[in-house]
Amino acid sequence: MTRFLATVALAALIHLPLAHAAEEEKVTLNFVNADIVSVIKAVGGHTGKNFILDPRVTGTVNIVSEKPVPRDLLYPMLLSVLRTQGYAAVESNGFVKIVPEAEGKTGASPVGEAAAKVPGDRIVTRVFLLQNESALQLVPVLRPLVTANNFVAAYSNNNAIVITDYAENVRRIESIIRAIDQPSGGDVQVVALQHASAVDVAQTIRGVMPETAPNPAAPGAPAKAAIAVDPRTNSLLVRGDNPALLNRVKALATSLDTPGAGAGNIHVVYLRNAEAAKIADTLRGLLSGGEAAARTAMAATATATPAQGANAAQQGTTTAATATAAAPSSIVQAYPPTNSIIITAPEPTYRALRAVIDKLDVRRAQVLVEALVVEVQTGRAAEVGVQFQGLSGIGRDGRQVIGGTNFSTSPNASTTFGTNIIGLSQNLASLGTGLNVGVVNGTITIPGPDGTNIEILNLGVLARALEGDAGVNVLSKPNVLTLDNEEAKLLVGQNVPFITGSYTPTSTSATNPFQTIERKDIGLTLRVKPQITEAGTVKLAIFQEVSSISRDATVKGADLITNKRSLESTVLVDDGQIIVLGGLIQDDQQSSVDKVPLLGDIPFLGSFFKYESRSHKKTNLMVFLRPFVLRDEGAARALTADRYDYIRNLQGTMGFERNLLLPPVAPEQLPELKAK
């Protein structure tokens, strides 16, 4: 029955006969549990709008008006009804799409100036550019005011807020934004101090009045009352919107501006970043310079003529006044246990020194230096030769003939030992690498160098062939973090002992033999001292050394032989840029031929009368550098977190799975780094 009455009401609405022109502009609505699709169809018939309905648009609505309403209100009323049902209308290309509210913000809604003129419950998008307040801080305030399915976000690049919501709600939010985004009405007030240091008073006020310090919970938000120091006039500059708060700040500053009591002219300054000893030395240098200027000015005035003395006194008024303040009674002493400075000086001198301390006691930037040392070595070696000897005549009576070829001039380390036919006759175990083919006919006894007989192999023929390739790729990536203008040193290697002396007693001496050694660092050494310039570039004083123990058996020495490559330079690098410091490109080619004259030159047959070897070795060493400037705590924390996570992930791969006989081994990992 209810659906029947709704259908009758729709038919009456569509075909309602209108008596005169006044009644023609008004319509009486009476929809009770009416199908939403039918209602939209009825409104379209009276307004001339074309609707496209999403298949998910279903349900019933109730619209009842006790009095006739203007026909122009039918469409706004329909939008309000759709909003209560969770649907939105999006107008595009002459028709209206009815979709779920969550998808309305992605439709072709009005934007900009056109959106500001749209009335009612249509979805629009507005962009608000803020002039005074921070968009990032205002978004959390506005988010609860925006419909749950719609959109609000901040764009920090131009301090703007983007809102997609119903037109009436956006218009209400606009009024809220305009009310909040107002210029600060507080004027800057100057509080001149006569006795106390403006720097000390400002620090004291910030410590006891939280309203004058930034809120840690809202980074970037200004304090309610801002305080700045003007050292030139020893004044405080105070600014804020709350007159009562400004009066409290001024009253506290005035009450602190009294002559020193108790300790008199003795003041203690606690430093936050700088070293007390270095600051004290700097201040003493300033005081001694002022005293010297005072003595010079007084001497010039005393030795000049009256006219010259008056002129000199007029020109040196400022210098003399400053120097008089820095009297010999001024004392500056550092106290390292608490990193503080004790100053004994009159109030004007103390205020001047206190202003200098405040400018020097700042957080220093840090520099991370990433170095990349790449060394690539390639080597090729080849040798081939035939040696022979005839020793059968040794030990026989009568005239006998012995002889043969003996070659051993190869430049290769691998062929220094075990390549000579005579040496192999004495010790076959010293046979060199490669292909070795020989003919042995028993043993033979020959006279030794000390007169004794030596039994050796009767090695008649030795043929050798060798070809080899060698490659070495050494990659080092040392990183070091240091303060601006502070040298850092990194050493990765070994501490190797070298013999520096020895003592061997004679047979009649009772002294025990001994050796003296000296230990030296062998490996990779990096020393760097960065200096950050005002332009943002980094000046680097660098010393880098790569050393290793030589494995070349052809190089002989009394003790260990070390290879060393070092570089010392001063360069200028932009923050985050890579620069190449230098390199070594070495190409070493060696070849040797041992042969029997004339016989070694015979084609083909001459190969049996010569020994030929070749070697070719290339070494490429390049050093690259990249500095990163870390100016605040956040940058240092981000760097630490990145390196820490890298090590944790690497540790996570060090476990072992269970196999048939062994149990699993879980990896040991560092605890997760918690962000502050």
Side-chain angles (χ1 to χ4, degrees):
M1 178 62 71
T2 302
R3 187 170 296 276
F4 173 74
L5 293 176
T7 304
V8 173
L10 285 173
L13 178 63
I14 296 174
H15 303 288
L16 182 66
L18 302 178
H20 47 78
E23 294 296 331
E24 204 172 275
E25 299 298 329
K26 293 185 178 182
V27 178
T28 301
L29 303 178
N30 188 12
F31 297 106
V32 179
N33 292 330
D35 182 60
I36 190 171
V37 177
S38 301
V39 174
I40 294 174
K41 180 178 179 182
V43 173
H46 282 274
T47 59
K49 292 185 177 292
N50 299 317
F51 292 94
I52 297 178
L53 276 64
D54 190 279
R56 291 166 289 181
V57 178
T58 59
T60 59
V61 297
N62 295 303
I63 306 177
V64 178
S65 62
E66 296 182 358
K67 297 180 180 180
V69 297
R71 185 173 299 179
D72 294 342
L73 294 180
L74 289 179
Y75 183 60
M77 292 177 66
L78 176 63
L79 297 180
S80 299
V81 171
L82 293 175
R83 179 177 177 181
T84 60
Q85 297 293 319
Y87 303 118
V90 179
E91 297 186 11
S92 176
N93 299 327
F95 55 85
V96 182
K97 293 187 295 184
I98 309 298
V99 296
E101 186 181 62
E103 299 181 7
K105 60 178 176 290
T106 62
S109 57
V111 181
E113 296 297 331
K117 301 176 182 179
V118 174
D121 292 322
R122 286 183 56 188
I123 296 290
V124 297
T125 299
R126 296 282 303 275
V127 178
F128 300 98
L129 299 177
L130 304 185
Q131 303 298 328
N132 304 286
E133 297 295 329
S134 170
L136 292 174
Q137 297 177 11
L138 190 56
V139 164
V141 178
L142 302 178
R143 193 178 302 278
L145 304 178
V146 179
T147 308
N149 291 326
N150 288 326
F151 173 82
V152 57
Y155 183 66
S156 58
N157 286 2
N158 60 351
N159 199 35
I161 294 179
V162 182
I163 300 177
T164 299
D165 201 358
Y166 294 100
E168 289 297 332
N169 195 38
V170 173
R171 195 169 289 111
R172 179 173 67 95
I173 295 175
E174 178 184 11
S175 61
I176 297 174
I177 293 175
R178 300 307 177 207
I180 296 176
D181 187 32
Q182 295 292 331
S184 178
D187 296 330
V188 178
Q189 301 187 22
V190 180
V191 182
L193 304 181
Q194 301 298 326
H195 306 285
S197 169
V199 177
D200 291 340
V201 172
Q203 290 185 354
T204 303
I205 294 175
R206 293 192 185 104
V208 299
M209 297 185 65
E211 300 90 343
T212 60
N215 186 4
K224 296 181 179 179
I227 301 178
V229 177
D230 181 21
R232 186 180 61 85
T233 59
N234 194 42
S235 302
L236 296 180
L237 307 179
V238 185
R239 178 181 179 274
D241 296 334
N242 191 333
L245 179 59
L246 291 182
N247 292 333
R248 288 171 52 200
V249 173
K250 292 170 58 179
L252 181 57
T254 303
S255 62
L256 295 175
D257 185 28
T258 57
N265 292 335
I266 301 178
H267 308 271
V268 179
V269 180
Y270 296 95
L271 304 181
R272 300 183 302 274
N273 302 286
E275 295 183 23
K278 294 183 178 180
I279 294 293
D281 291 341
T282 302
L283 297 181
R284 283 193 287 265
L286 293 176
L287 293 176
S288 62
E291 295 171 4
R295 290 192 296 268
T296 302
M298 294 174 63
T301 304
T303 58
T305 62
Q308 294 174 341
N311 188 25
Q314 182 178 2
Q315 295 178 353
T317 300
T318 303
T319 304
T322 305
T324 303
S329 59
S330 301
I331 301 174
V332 178
Q333 183 65 39
Y335 186 64
T338 59
N339 196 37
S340 55
I341 295 178
I342 303 172
I343 301 177
T344 302
E347 285 294 336
T349 304
Y350 169 72
R351 288 197 297 267
L353 295 179
R354 188 65 182 86
V356 174
I357 294 173
D358 190 60
K359 293 182 180 298
L360 297 179
D361 186 26
V362 296
R363 181 187 178 98
R364 295 166 64 184
Q366 300 181 91
V367 179
L368 171 69
V369 180
E370 293 184 346
L372 180 64
V373 182
V374 183
E375 182 175 3
V376 180
Q377 294 182 0
T378 60
R380 295 177 62 88
E383 58 182 283
V384 62
V386 177
Q387 304 175 59
F388 58 88
Q389 62 181 355
L391 303 178
S392 300
I394 295 179
R396 296 181 181 179
D397 296 334
R399 181 173 297 179
Q400 303 292 330
V401 178
I402 65 172
T405 58
N406 178 19
F407 304 129
S408 181
T409 60
S410 171
N412 299 315
S414 61
T415 60
T416 302
F417 304 102
T419 62
N420 184 270
I421 189 171
I422 297 179
L424 291 178
S425 299
Q426 301 176 21
N427 183 12
L428 195 61
S430 64
L431 191 65
T433 59
L435 176 63
N436 295 270
V437 179
V439 176
V440 179
N441 183 18
T443 61
I444 192 170
T445 302
I446 63 174
D450 56 353
T452 61
N453 293 330
I454 301 175
E455 185 179 16
I456 64 173
L457 292 173
N458 187 9
L459 181 60
V461 179
L462 173 65
R464 263 184 67 78
L466 172 66
E467 182 174 358
D469 291 334
V472 178
N473 184 8
V474 179
L475 175 64
S476 302
K477 297 178 64 177
N479 296 344
V480 63
L481 178 66
T482 182
L483 282 174
D484 182 24
N485 270 324
E486 295 290 343
E487 183 179 84
K489 179 180 179 180
L490 179 67
L491 172 64
V492 180
Q494 296 176 317
N495 192 253
V496 180
F498 290 85
I499 299 176
T500 57
S502 63
Y503 174 75
T504 303
T506 62
S507 59
T508 59
S509 175
T511 306
N512 294 327
F514 64 88
Q515 287 182 336
T516 59
I517 64 172
E518 179 184 1
R519 291 187 172 271
K520 294 184 179 181
D521 294 328
I522 299 296
L524 174 65
T525 302
L526 173 65
R527 292 203 309 266
V528 58
K529 183 177 181 180
Q531 180 182 359
I532 305 173
T533 66
E534 289 295 331
T537 57
V538 183
K539 181 181 178 182
L540 296 174
I542 304 157
F543 173 80
Q544 187 153 8
E545 179 181 282
V546 180
S547 57
S548 61
I549 299 175
S550 176
R551 297 181 176 87
D552 192 349
T554 61
V555 181
K556 299 295 184 180
D559 201 356
L560 297 177
I561 306 298
T562 58
N563 302 320
K564 182 182 294 185
R565 298 178 179 89
S566 63
L567 181 148
E568 188 170 2
S569 178
T570 301
V571 296
L572 195 64
V573 193
D574 291 332
D575 182 16
Q577 299 299 315
I578 299 177
I579 188 172
V580 58
L581 295 183
L584 169 66
I585 300 177
Q586 181 178 358
D587 194 342
D588 184 10
Q589 297 188 37
Q590 298 184 30
S591 64
S592 65
V593 178
D594 292 352
K595 63 182 179 179
V596 177
L598 300 178
L599 296 178
D601 297 327
I602 300 174
F604 301 109
L605 185 61
S607 300
F608 294 96
F609 298 95
K610 66 181 178 181
Y611 197 101
E612 184 175 2
S613 62
R614 301 173 183 175
S615 69
H616 187 193
K617 183 170 65 174
K618 287 186 177 181
T619 301
N620 295 330
L621 174 65
M622 302 296 291
V623 180
F624 301 89
L625 214 63
R626 177 168 61 178
F628 290 98
V629 179
L630 310 178
R631 298 189 179 275
D632 52 23
E633 181 184 0
R637 189 185 302 116
L639 171 67
T640 302
D642 178 71
R643 299 297 191 268
Y644 193 87
D645 291 341
Y646 171 76
I647 293 296
R648 287 191 76 250
N649 295 334
L650 192 62
Q651 287 181 327
T653 63
M654 302 304 293
F656 298 94
E657 298 181 355
R658 177 188 295 274
N659 62 14
L660 184 61
L661 300 177
L662 299 178
V665 178
E668 294 290 338
Q669 279 189 290
L670 294 170
E672 185 176 356
L673 188 63
K674 296 181 179 180
K676 293 184 178 180

PDB file of all heavy atoms in Angstrom, residues 542-558:
ATOM      1  N   ILE A 542      93.836  15.895   2.862  1.00  0.00           N
ATOM      2  CA  ILE A 542      93.747  14.427   2.831  1.00  0.00           C
ATOM      3  C   ILE A 542      95.131  13.820   2.779  1.00  0.00           C
ATOM      4  O   ILE A 542      96.025  14.315   2.079  1.00  0.00           O
ATOM      5  CB  ILE A 542      92.938  13.964   1.601  1.00  0.00           C
ATOM      6  CG1 ILE A 542      91.570  14.610   1.588  1.00  0.00           C
ATOM      7  CG2 ILE A 542      92.794  12.454   1.571  1.00  0.00           C
ATOM      8  CD1 ILE A 542      90.969  14.660   0.224  1.00  0.00           C
ATOM      9  N   PHE A 543      95.285  12.733   3.541  1.00  0.00           N
ATOM     10  CA  PHE A 543      96.447  11.849   3.393  1.00  0.00           C
ATOM     11  C   PHE A 543      95.913  10.424   3.353  1.00  0.00           C
ATOM     12  O   PHE A 543      95.217   9.990   4.277  1.00  0.00           O
ATOM     13  CB  PHE A 543      97.432  12.005   4.550  1.00  0.00           C
ATOM     14  CG  PHE A 543      98.546  10.983   4.509  1.00  0.00           C
ATOM     15  CD1 PHE A 543      99.627  11.151   3.670  1.00  0.00           C
ATOM     16  CD2 PHE A 543      98.486   9.843   5.293  1.00  0.00           C
ATOM     17  CE1 PHE A 543     100.643  10.210   3.614  1.00  0.00           C
ATOM     18  CE2 PHE A 543      99.496   8.901   5.257  1.00  0.00           C
ATOM     19  CZ  PHE A 543     100.580   9.083   4.410  1.00  0.00           C
ATOM     20  N   GLN A 544      96.243   9.704   2.294  1.00  0.00           N
ATOM     21  CA  GLN A 544      95.786   8.324   2.139  1.00  0.00           C
ATOM     22  C   GLN A 544      96.964   7.468   1.706  1.00  0.00           C
ATOM     23  O   GLN A 544      97.741   7.840   0.819  1.00  0.00           O
ATOM     24  CB  GLN A 544      94.660   8.225   1.115  1.00  0.00           C
ATOM     25  CG  GLN A 544      94.048   6.841   1.035  1.00  0.00           C
ATOM     26  CD  GLN A 544      92.613   6.896   0.569  1.00  0.00           C
ATOM     27  OE1 GLN A 544      92.119   7.934   0.172  1.00  0.00           O
ATOM     28  NE2 GLN A 544      91.945   5.780   0.612  1.00  0.00           N
ATOM     29  N   GLU A 545      97.074   6.313   2.371  1.00  0.00           N
ATOM     30  CA  GLU A 545      98.187   5.410   2.088  1.00  0.00           C
ATOM     31  C   GLU A 545      97.673   3.982   2.040  1.00  0.00           C
ATOM     32  O   GLU A 545      96.886   3.561   2.899  1.00  0.00           O
ATOM     33  CB  GLU A 545      99.267   5.548   3.158  1.00  0.00           C
ATOM     34  CG  GLU A 545     100.462   4.623   2.960  1.00  0.00           C
ATOM     35  CD  GLU A 545     101.497   4.786   4.054  1.00  0.00           C
ATOM     36  OE1 GLU A 545     102.246   5.770   3.990  1.00  0.00           O
ATOM     37  OE2 GLU A 545     101.526   3.943   4.970  1.00  0.00           O
ATOM     38  N   VAL A 546      98.117   3.243   1.042  1.00  0.00           N
ATOM     39  CA  VAL A 546      97.812   1.823   0.903  1.00  0.00           C
ATOM     40  C   VAL A 546      99.139   1.085   0.885  1.00  0.00           C
ATOM     41  O   VAL A 546      99.960   1.293  -0.021  1.00  0.00           O
ATOM     42  CB  VAL A 546      97.009   1.537  -0.386  1.00  0.00           C
ATOM     43  CG1 VAL A 546      96.704   0.050  -0.487  1.00  0.00           C
ATOM     44  CG2 VAL A 546      95.715   2.346  -0.410  1.00  0.00           C
ATOM     45  N   SER A 547      99.369   0.239   1.885  1.00  0.00           N
ATOM     46  CA  SER A 547     100.623  -0.503   1.981  1.00  0.00           C
ATOM     47  C   SER A 547     100.321  -1.978   2.172  1.00  0.00           C
ATOM     48  O   SER A 547      99.281  -2.349   2.718  1.00  0.00           O
ATOM     49  CB  SER A 547     101.481   0.010   3.144  1.00  0.00           C
ATOM     50  OG  SER A 547     100.759  -0.069   4.364  1.00  0.00           O
ATOM     51  N   SER A 548     101.251  -2.825   1.717  1.00  0.00           N
ATOM     52  CA  SER A 548     101.085  -4.272   1.832  1.00  0.00           C
ATOM     53  C   SER A 548     102.458  -4.914   1.803  1.00  0.00           C
ATOM     54  O   SER A 548     103.454  -4.308   1.377  1.00  0.00           O
ATOM     55  CB  SER A 548     100.207  -4.820   0.696  1.00  0.00           C
ATOM     56  OG  SER A 548     100.804  -4.564  -0.564  1.00  0.00           O
ATOM     57  N   ILE A 549     102.509  -6.161   2.259  1.00  0.00           N
ATOM     58  CA  ILE A 549     103.755  -6.922   2.241  1.00  0.00           C
ATOM     59  C   ILE A 549     103.943  -7.520   0.858  1.00  0.00           C
ATOM     60  O   ILE A 549     103.024  -8.139   0.304  1.00  0.00           O
ATOM     61  CB  ILE A 549     103.725  -8.020   3.314  1.00  0.00           C
ATOM     62  CG1 ILE A 549     103.582  -7.388   4.706  1.00  0.00           C
ATOM     63  CG2 ILE A 549     104.966  -8.881   3.247  1.00  0.00           C
ATOM     64  CD1 ILE A 549     103.435  -8.395   5.815  1.00  0.00           C
ATOM     65  N   SER A 550     105.114  -7.343   0.300  1.00  0.00           N
ATOM     66  CA  SER A 550     105.386  -7.816  -1.049  1.00  0.00           C
ATOM     67  C   SER A 550     105.440  -9.335  -1.077  1.00  0.00           C
ATOM     68  O   SER A 550     106.030  -9.978  -0.201  1.00  0.00           O
ATOM     69  CB  SER A 550     106.709  -7.239  -1.560  1.00  0.00           C
ATOM     70  OG  SER A 550     107.019  -7.771  -2.825  1.00  0.00           O
ATOM     71  N   ARG A 551     104.824  -9.912  -2.107  1.00  0.00           N
ATOM     72  CA  ARG A 551     104.860 -11.355  -2.325  1.00  0.00           C
ATOM     73  C   ARG A 551     105.742 -11.727  -3.525  1.00  0.00           C
ATOM     74  O   ARG A 551     105.719 -12.856  -3.980  1.00  0.00           O
ATOM     75  CB  ARG A 551     103.442 -11.881  -2.550  1.00  0.00           C
ATOM     76  CG  ARG A 551     102.531 -11.702  -1.362  1.00  0.00           C
ATOM     77  CD  ARG A 551     101.151 -12.273  -1.637  1.00  0.00           C
ATOM     78  NE  ARG A 551     100.284 -12.192  -0.488  1.00  0.00           N
ATOM     79  CZ  ARG A 551      99.530 -11.150  -0.191  1.00  0.00           C
ATOM     80  NH1 ARG A 551      99.558 -10.092  -0.978  1.00  0.00           N
ATOM     81  NH2 ARG A 551      98.763 -11.147   0.870  1.00  0.00           N
ATOM     82  N   ASP A 552     106.437 -10.747  -4.024  1.00  0.00           N
ATOM     83  CA  ASP A 552     107.293 -10.979  -5.189  1.00  0.00           C
ATOM     84  C   ASP A 552     108.595 -11.629  -4.733  1.00  0.00           C
ATOM     85  O   ASP A 552     109.421 -11.011  -4.053  1.00  0.00           O
ATOM     86  CB  ASP A 552     107.570  -9.652  -5.901  1.00  0.00           C
ATOM     87  CG  ASP A 552     108.207  -9.869  -7.264  1.00  0.00           C
ATOM     88  OD1 ASP A 552     108.622 -11.009  -7.555  1.00  0.00           O
ATOM     89  OD2 ASP A 552     108.278  -8.890  -8.033  1.00  0.00           O
ATOM     90  N   ALA A 553     108.787 -12.891  -5.084  1.00  0.00           N
ATOM     91  CA  ALA A 553     109.971 -13.626  -4.632  1.00  0.00           C
ATOM     92  C   ALA A 553     111.248 -13.160  -5.313  1.00  0.00           C
ATOM     93  O   ALA A 553     112.349 -13.500  -4.875  1.00  0.00           O
ATOM     94  CB  ALA A 553     109.783 -15.125  -4.865  1.00  0.00           C
ATOM     95  N   THR A 554     111.129 -12.410  -6.396  1.00  0.00           N
ATOM     96  CA  THR A 554     112.337 -11.949  -7.090  1.00  0.00           C
ATOM     97  C   THR A 554     112.986 -10.774  -6.375  1.00  0.00           C
ATOM     98  O   THR A 554     114.130 -10.445  -6.664  1.00  0.00           O
ATOM     99  CB  THR A 554     111.991 -11.537  -8.529  1.00  0.00           C
ATOM    100  OG1 THR A 554     111.037 -10.467  -8.495  1.00  0.00           O
ATOM    101  CG2 THR A 554     111.396 -12.709  -9.290  1.00  0.00           C
ATOM    102  N   VAL A 555     112.223 -10.106  -5.465  1.00  0.00           N
ATOM    103  CA  VAL A 555     112.769  -8.962  -4.740  1.00  0.00           C
ATOM    104  C   VAL A 555     113.397  -9.469  -3.456  1.00  0.00           C
ATOM    105  O   VAL A 555     112.742 -10.148  -2.658  1.00  0.00           O
ATOM    106  CB  VAL A 555     111.662  -7.935  -4.440  1.00  0.00           C
ATOM    107  CG1 VAL A 555     112.258  -6.735  -3.715  1.00  0.00           C
ATOM    108  CG2 VAL A 555     110.981  -7.494  -5.733  1.00  0.00           C
ATOM    109  N   LYS A 556     114.651  -9.164  -3.267  1.00  0.00           N
ATOM    110  CA  LYS A 556     115.383  -9.639  -2.107  1.00  0.00           C
ATOM    111  C   LYS A 556     115.664  -8.472  -1.173  1.00  0.00           C
ATOM    112  O   LYS A 556     115.835  -7.327  -1.585  1.00  0.00           O
ATOM    113  CB  LYS A 556     116.708 -10.294  -2.535  1.00  0.00           C
ATOM    114  CG  LYS A 556     116.538 -11.518  -3.439  1.00  0.00           C
ATOM    115  CD  LYS A 556     115.851 -12.655  -2.714  1.00  0.00           C
ATOM    116  CE  LYS A 556     115.774 -13.885  -3.591  1.00  0.00           C
ATOM    117  NZ  LYS A 556     115.113 -15.015  -2.903  1.00  0.00           N
ATOM    118  N   GLY A 557     115.712  -8.795   0.138  1.00  0.00           N
ATOM    119  CA  GLY A 557     116.018  -7.799   1.135  1.00  0.00           C
ATOM    120  C   GLY A 557     116.407  -8.455   2.429  1.00  0.00           C
ATOM    121  O   GLY A 557     116.284  -9.675   2.612  1.00  0.00           O
ATOM    122  N   ALA A 558     116.895  -7.628   3.376  1.00  0.00           N
ATOM    123  CA  ALA A 558     117.299  -8.177   4.663  1.00  0.00           C
ATOM    124  C   ALA A 558     116.099  -8.611   5.488  1.00  0.00           C
ATOM    125  O   ALA A 558     116.226  -9.441   6.383  1.00  0.00           O
ATOM    126  CB  ALA A 558     118.124  -7.134   5.429  1.00  0.00           C
TER     127      ALA A 558
END
